Amino acid sequence: MKLLVTGGAGFIGSNFVLYWLAHHSEDVVVNFDALTYAGNLENLKSVEKNPQYSFVKGDITNPQDVEKAMQGVNIVVHFAAESHVDRSIMDPSTFVRTNVLGTQVLLEAAKKVGVKKFHHVSTDEVFGSLELGSTEKFSETTPYNPHSPYSASKAGSDHLVRAYHDTYGLPITITNCSNNYGPYHFPEKLFSLTITNILEGKKVPVYTPGNHVRDWLYVEDHVRAIEMVLQKGKDGETYCIGGMTQDVSNLEAVKMILRLMGKDDSSIELVKDRPGHDVRYAIDWTKINTELGWSPSVSLEEGLQKTIAWYTEHRDWWMDVKSGTYAEYYTKQYQER
Ligand code: NAD
Ligand code: DAU
């Protein structure tokens, strides 16, 4: 099988590529990535000489780049996206271009080549927000109600993927997953930012009042879920993926990280809230569990321990990432908070 993995130099994409090559050594993996601020080939150093792996620098919004890379491909696994909500609030245009237009360009090329499967990696944020304190959960039948430019652009991409199935018969699957964390997570997201700020002796910014709830999932559990969908998922179907069985607020999660790193809570800094901030996410993953046999295997505490160990051992990776343009973004994002 030849897989085209878009966004394979990003956080989840690189975890997927490393996992796939380790578990499916007969397959050929082409990593197609534009190497934006979030893409980092350092993540893939250990496989760069593997003859089954190759890297193509290209932009998913460019039909020529995409059509060339699509030749001979059997399976597309589409991760490439602008992924950070706060950046989408600063500048929505790149999100619409990459997430909506880029997905349509890929779908068109996949249709021309006649791929066996087009898997679209999406998010639970397309469903909007649940009430704090409720026991309600998102599932495959929850209506779309996105609030941020990021989630609206991902919702647009999901609709296009389904439209290519319903209109042209393209064999697609979609996964809507909750918040991932783990190795190679760009240090702009809550957990990676918290861990690296603590290692640097800096304050940890938590958006006021810190009672927001996310459904945290260790990245390898997400990668295993995608593997199962690629192997056993039904064409045209959506699968929701999540990790938690009870609500944990952002403040509780950050305090857990501080405790695991042997620190008290004094470095927490409550800062101005994100506009349009979704209050609560929770996922009902019954469908993927009963139909495909997937369930999360890493608890939040265990996943955090692994993640803290990884960042502690890979200081060079995140120090490098946090320099340069990231530093400019950080100042802009947090200076008025
Ligand atoms: P990321 O920001 O870490 O990586 C995105 C990758 O896409 C980068 O390597 C970047 O260079 C590449 N990219 C961006 N624009 C591109 C373009 N125009 N052409 C080609 N490549 C481009 O993202 P992530 O956190 O790994 O998320 C991957 C996917 O999973 C996204 O589609 C995201 O919406 C989805 N998702 C993420 C999470 C999460 O918690 N991180 C949860 C659910 C779903
Ligand atoms: O739910 C899946 C989504 O999870 C993915 O689709 C997105 O790509 C991914 O970025 C993530 O989105 P969130 O907005 O939930 O993740 P983030 O890490 O930015 O924020 C998590 C929570 O922490 C959220 O309630 C906002 C809060 N937060 C975030 C940052 C960056 C803070 O309190 N302080 C911060 O500095």
Side-chain angles (χ1 to χ4, degrees), residues 234-254:
K234 287 199 202 102
D235 286 349
E237 292 289 316
T238 289
Y239 299 89
C240 283
I241 308 168
M244 303 288 286
T245 47
Q246 63 182 59
D247 283 7
V248 172
S249 72
N250 289 344
L251 260 183
E252 286 166 333
V254 166

Side-chain angles (χ1 to χ4, degrees), residues 175-213:
T175 42
N176 292 96
C177 186
S178 59
N179 289 62
N180 287 213
Y181 65 100
Y184 305 113
H185 205 184
F186 195 84
E188 63 189 351
K189 311 278 164 59
L190 181 65
F191 281 9
S192 44
L193 181 70
T194 297
I195 296 168
T196 56
N197 273 17
I198 295 168
L199 289 171
E200 285 185 286
K202 288 187 181 158
K203 292 277 184 198
V204 176
V206 176
Y207 298 160
T208 306
N211 59 353
H212 306 88
V213 172

Side-chain angles (χ1 to χ4, degrees), residues 6-14 32-40 58-61 78-84 97-99 102 120-124 150 154 175-181 184-186 188-189 222:
T6 70
F11 162 48
I12 309 174
S14 58
F32 184 90
D33 197 298
L35 298 183
T36 67
Y37 79 92
N40 190 345
D59 187 326
I60 56 166
T61 65
H78 176 32
F79 293 95
E82 288 295 335
S83 70
H84 192 39
R97 193 173 161 273
T98 294
N99 300 357
H120 179 55
V121 181
S122 193
T123 171
D124 61 352
Y150 163 69
K154 289 296 289 189
T175 42
N176 292 96
C177 186
S178 59
N179 289 62
N180 287 213
Y181 65 100
Y184 305 113
H185 205 184
F186 195 84
E188 63 189 351
K189 311 278 164 59
H222 185 188

Side-chain angles (χ1 to χ4, degrees), residues 35 40 70 136 144 174 176 181 202 242 257 268 273 275 289 305 335:
L35 298 183
N40 190 345
M70 195 67 76
E136 220 190 322
Y144 277 38
I174 299 178
N176 292 96
Y181 65 100
K202 288 187 181 158
I257 295 174
I268 295 175
D273 201 6
N289 177 249
Q305 275 165 344
Q335 69 187 351

Side-chain angles (χ1 to χ4, degrees), residues 50-334:
N50 183 331
Q52 301 297 101
Y53 167 78
S54 62
F55 171 68
V56 175
K57 187 169 191 288
D59 187 326
I60 56 166
T61 65
N62 180 322
Q64 286 80 38
D65 284 1
V66 170
E67 277 180 29
K68 206 169 152 202
M70 195 67 76
Q71 295 312 309
V73 166
N74 310 108
I75 297 175
V76 178
V77 192
H78 176 32
F79 293 95
E82 288 295 335
S83 70
H84 192 39
V85 174
D86 292 323
R87 288 185 192 254
S88 82
I89 295 166
M90 278 180 188
D91 176 18
S93 62
T94 337
F95 285 71
V96 175
R97 193 173 161 273
T98 294
N99 300 357
V100 184
L101 175 65
T103 299
Q104 188 272 326
V105 168
L106 274 172
L107 287 163
E108 194 58 32
K111 172 165 78 81
K112 271 192 197 156
V113 165
V115 297
K116 264 173 67 100
K117 170 91 87 182
F118 185 104
H119 180 69
H120 179 55
V121 181
S122 193
T123 171
D124 61 352
E125 301 205 7
V126 297
F127 301 124
S129 187
L130 298 167
E131 216 175 289
L132 211 54
S134 77
T135 53
E136 220 190 322
K137 294 189 172 195
F138 297 137
S139 76
E140 292 77 8
T141 55
T142 306
Y144 277 38
N145 187 19
H147 297 125
S148 72
Y150 163 69
S151 52
S153 67
K154 289 296 289 189
S157 68
D158 290 14
H159 292 317
L160 280 165
V161 173
R162 273 191 205 99
Y164 267 72
H165 172 262
D166 297 349
T167 311
Y168 308 112
L170 191 72
I172 65 100
T173 42
I174 299 178
T175 42
N176 292 96
C177 186
S178 59
N179 289 62
N180 287 213
Y181 65 100
Y184 305 113
H185 205 184
F186 195 84
E188 63 189 351
K189 311 278 164 59
L190 181 65
F191 281 9
S192 44
L193 181 70
T194 297
I195 296 168
T196 56
N197 273 17
I198 295 168
L199 289 171
E200 285 185 286
K202 288 187 181 158
K203 292 277 184 198
V204 176
V206 176
Y207 298 160
T208 306
N211 59 353
H212 306 88
V213 172
R214 294 294 183 263
D215 186 331
W216 299 102
L217 181 70
Y218 190 65
V219 63
E220 196 168 305
D221 276 335
H222 185 188
V223 167
R224 281 194 310 104
I226 295 171
E227 179 186 38
M228 282 191 185
V229 172
L230 290 176
Q231 291 173 330
K232 300 192 270 181
K234 287 199 202 102
D235 286 349
E237 292 289 316
T238 289
Y239 299 89
C240 283
I241 308 168
M244 303 288 286
T245 47
Q246 63 182 59
D247 283 7
V248 172
S249 72
N250 289 344
L251 260 183
E252 286 166 333
V254 166
K255 285 180 183 173
M256 193 187 277
I257 295 174
L258 284 159
R259 173 173 59 77
L260 292 172
M261 295 179 77
K263 306 279 180 205
D264 64 26
D265 300 345
S266 58
S267 45
I268 295 175
E269 188 170 50
L270 283 172
V271 298
K272 196 170 149 213
D273 201 6
R274 169 188 282 175
H277 195 168
D278 289 337
V279 180
R280 175 173 174 264
Y281 301 151
I283 295 276
D284 175 356
W285 40 269
T286 308
K287 179 177 173 181
I288 190 167
N289 177 249
T290 51
E291 291 186 13
L292 308 186
W294 177 88
S295 55
S297 68
V298 180
S299 70
L300 181 61
E301 178 140 348
E302 185 193 346
L304 283 175
Q305 275 165 344
K306 285 173 184 247
T307 308
I308 292 164
W310 190 86
Y311 281 91
T312 307
E313 286 157 19
H314 292 81
R315 217 183 166 92
D316 287 353
W317 182 89
W318 58 263
M319 288 290 275
D320 194 39
V321 168
K322 273 189 150 185
S323 63
T325 49
Y326 175 86
E328 283 163 35
Y329 160 77
Y330 193 85
T331 309
K332 194 165 164 203
Q333 172 64 14
Y334 294 99

